[in-house]
Structures are given as C-alpha cells and as structure tokens.
Amino acid sequence: MSRTTFFEVRVLDAKTKEQLCFLDKVEPYSTIGDIKSLFHKSHPHWYPARQALRLDPKEKTLRDDEILLSLPVGTTATMYFRDLGPQLSWTMVFLAECIGPLLTYLLFYFRVPYIYSNRYAFTSSPHPVVTLACACHTFHYMKRLIETIFVHRFSHGTMPLRTIVRNCAYYWGFSAWLAYYINHPLYTPPSYGELQVNYALVIFVMCELGNFSIHLTLNNLRGEGPKARRFPMPTKNPFTWLFFFVSCPNYTYEVGAWVSFSIMTQCLPVALYALLGFIQMTIWAKGKHRAYSREFKDYPSLRMAIIPLIL
C-alpha cells in the first residue's frame, strides 16, 4: 500500500517576502482554492476572494482549480500572496451598473426640480420621441436586470470594489449626460421625423431580442457543465444565426441597439456612448474569439469577433 506524500506550503507576502502562513501536511490533490481556505482560517480578514496566490511575485495568479501536485514545485511549495482588496459578487456588480442608469434617466425624464429651470419641473416633453426613448432606455436596463437575476452565470466570482466604483461612475455618468440632452426642454426631434424614429425603433427591438436570445443560448451551453465543454452554435432561433458569422453576437446586438438608439434620438452623447461601447466590446470580443480559436481545433474559420466578415 503506497504511502501518501503530503506537501508543506509557505505563504509569503508578495511585497515584503514576510512569511504569513505555514501549512503542514497539505493533501497533494488539494486545489489552490483549498489552500486559500486554509490560509483564510489563520487570517480571517483575507477571505478567499481577496487572495491572489502566485509561485513568483511577477508571474500570473494561480487559478482556484489548479491542483497542488500538478504545479512545478517540490514537496515544500512557496507561494506569494497579494491582497486584491474588498470584493463584490458579479451579480451585485451588474445590479449596481444597471439600476443606476435606469433611475438616473427617469429623474431627467420626469424633470424633477433643479435639473432644468423650475418652470419646467414635472412637465412632459411635447415630442413623442422623448417618451419613446425613455421607454426604450428603461426596457434595455430592465432586460439587463432580469438577465442578471435569472439568466447570467458568471465564471468569475467577484470583482474588486474599486472597479465597481469606476464602472458605476461610467454607466451612471453617461446615462445622466445623454438623458439631460434627450429630455431637455429645448430638445429638437430627429431631422427625418417619424420615418427615422420608426426605422430606428424596429432595429432597436430586433437587437434587444437578439441580445436576449444569445444570452439564453450561452446560459444553456454553460448549463451542460464543464465536461461538455464546446463552443456556441446557432439554434432554431433565427436571432442566434449570427453565430455563423461572429463569435460574440451578444456584443454585436448590444452595439446595434445603441446605434439605433442614437439614430432614434439624434443625440450626439448617445452616439459617443455607442462608440466607446463598441471599442470596449470589440476588445472583449477579440479576446473571446482568440480563446475559442485556441481551445477548439475545429472552430469555424468564417467567424469574426464582432462584425461579420470585417472585424
């Protein structure tokens, strides 16, 4: 009967190299997540989500699912700890990012006092497109809230608190900026009137439905578990057929929704918001596209990252 070889793990501060913890008789098949839990017992204020462990201070952070026995270390392993700071769950992050813009926009739509001149307080805009824009904006963020609660499954458990503050400042700030102009008493409707508004509305609704369909498809794919790992494919839902051409159609539909919203309102801040969103989502889409291409040898060569046949 073979004798089990236990490991010893030394956890040092990545900056000062001071020893923070010494773990004796660690099971060889323990994961990094297990080691974080053991470390947490001796340092309760550093819960696992706050911990980043590395084999070298300059190397990448070890994943929670990596097994101690598979690491390039001897029976005495040295790991370097870095505090990631306070963390929030991704569900809370998304809720905060969505609730803020939703409520902020409504403050401008209802023209609460001190935003515009007092004589316009609690008055409604004479232009129907303003009410339509409010309905579309509200629908967009309500959809995102529903998806956050019932659809999304997050691969990463938490996000640093400092990051959520930055993200909320971005989303809330842009929402207030575009809402200020769209609901302004001097706002003028689009140049081509109802024709421009109606066409933009049709595209907006289609993009929102498409985005939701893609999120459902991705959720069902994750529901099959890690053992059934495969890349997303189109389903019988026509909105998912964009998977034939791009790796991240959810981003394609998201950009399309904001472009159509900028056309509907003919508002420059909305167009700028759509442009910045497109740049960021292109970066995310390219990263996912590269990851799919590396992981799956049979990944469709026709697919692009976010724009069919172009990008």
Side-chain angles (χ1 to χ4, degrees):
M1 186 173 182
S2 61
R3 182 181 177 184
T4 302
T5 302
F6 291 99
F7 281 67
E8 295 177 346
V9 179
R10 296 169 63 234
V11 181
L12 308 182
D13 187 286
K15 293 182 179 179
T16 65
K17 306 302 186 291
E18 173 190 357
Q19 181 169 304
L20 301 175
C21 181
F22 180 78
L23 304 174
D24 190 18
K25 294 186 178 180
V26 180
E27 294 281 350
Y29 289 97
S30 297
T31 64
I32 296 301
D34 296 331
I35 294 173
K36 287 182 177 181
S37 297
L38 293 172
F39 180 63
H40 176 231
K41 290 181 180 179
S42 59
H43 296 80
H45 57 291
W46 286 326
Y47 47 88
R50 286 189 66 154
Q51 302 174 32
L53 296 179
R54 303 174 180 179
L55 295 180
D56 185 278
K58 296 181 180 179
E59 291 182 0
K60 65 179 182 179
T61 301
L62 297 170
R63 302 190 314 273
D64 284 355
D65 60 352
E66 292 189 74
I67 298 173
L68 183 58
L69 186 62
S70 65
L71 298 177
V73 297
T75 54
T76 300
T78 300
M79 297 184 183
Y80 295 88
F81 162 79
R82 185 169 69 90
D83 182 14
L84 298 177
Q87 304 285 306
L88 286 177
S89 69
W90 271 94
T91 299
M92 291 301 299
V93 170
F94 271 61
L95 290 177
E97 289 177 355
C98 297
I99 291 175
L102 177 65
L103 298 179
T104 301
Y105 193 100
L106 292 176
L107 291 177
F108 288 87
Y109 174 74
F110 289 111
R111 292 179 179 172
V112 298
Y114 307 111
I115 292 181
Y116 304 111
S117 174
N118 284 338
R119 67 193 180 104
Y120 294 109
F122 298 116
T123 61
S124 58
S125 173
H127 307 298
V129 66
V130 174
T131 300
L132 180 62
C134 180
C136 289
H137 189 275
T138 301
F139 174 81
H140 175 80
Y141 282 102
M142 286 297 297
K143 180 184 76 70
R144 290 189 60 176
L145 287 171
I146 292 172
E147 289 174 341
T148 298
I149 298 172
F150 298 106
V151 178
H152 290 321
R153 298 186 184 187
F154 302 104
S155 55
H156 299 287
T158 61
M159 175 185 280
L161 182 60
R162 60 181 178 274
T163 304
I164 188 177
V165 172
R166 182 191 64 197
N167 287 9
C168 285
Y170 172 80
Y171 288 112
W172 296 25
F174 256 108
S175 176
W177 190 35
L178 60 90
Y180 175 82
Y181 285 100
I182 296 174
N183 298 286
H184 198 283
L186 299 180
Y187 169 80
T188 54
S191 303
Y192 296 95
E194 289 188 6
L195 182 66
Q196 179 175 337
V197 172
N198 291 337
Y199 273 114
L201 176 62
V202 171
I203 297 173
F204 177 86
V205 172
M206 290 182 65
C207 287
E208 290 291 318
L209 292 174
N211 182 264
F212 182 72
S213 298
I214 298 301
H215 286 159
L216 282 179
T217 302
L218 293 174
N219 178 67
N220 293 334
L221 189 65
R222 293 189 186 101
E224 297 176 1
K227 293 182 179 180
R229 178 75 175 161
R230 59 188 180 88
F231 56 85
M233 292 291 291
T235 67
K236 295 180 180 180
N237 182 345
F239 287 110
T240 67
W241 294 353
L242 200 53
F243 270 124
F244 283 120
F245 305 103
V246 294
S247 296
C248 302
N250 51 321
Y251 295 148
T252 309
Y253 283 124
E254 180 82 7
V255 171
W258 283 109
V259 169
S260 61
F261 190 74
S262 64
I263 294 172
M264 180 194 305
T265 58
Q266 197 168 297
C267 181
L268 183 59
V270 183
L272 178 60
Y273 182 67
L275 175 62
L276 293 178
F278 170 68
I279 294 172
Q280 181 59 70
M281 283 183 273
T282 298
I283 295 172
W284 292 335
K286 283 187 172 182
K288 289 189 177 183
H289 180 73
R290 286 193 296 267
Y292 282 142
S293 300
R294 284 195 303 265
E295 183 175 357
F296 303 104
K297 302 303 180 183
D298 58 340
Y299 195 69
S301 58
L302 180 64
R303 289 190 189 181
M304 302 299 287
I306 189 170
I307 300 180
L309 307 177
I310 299 176
L311 184 63

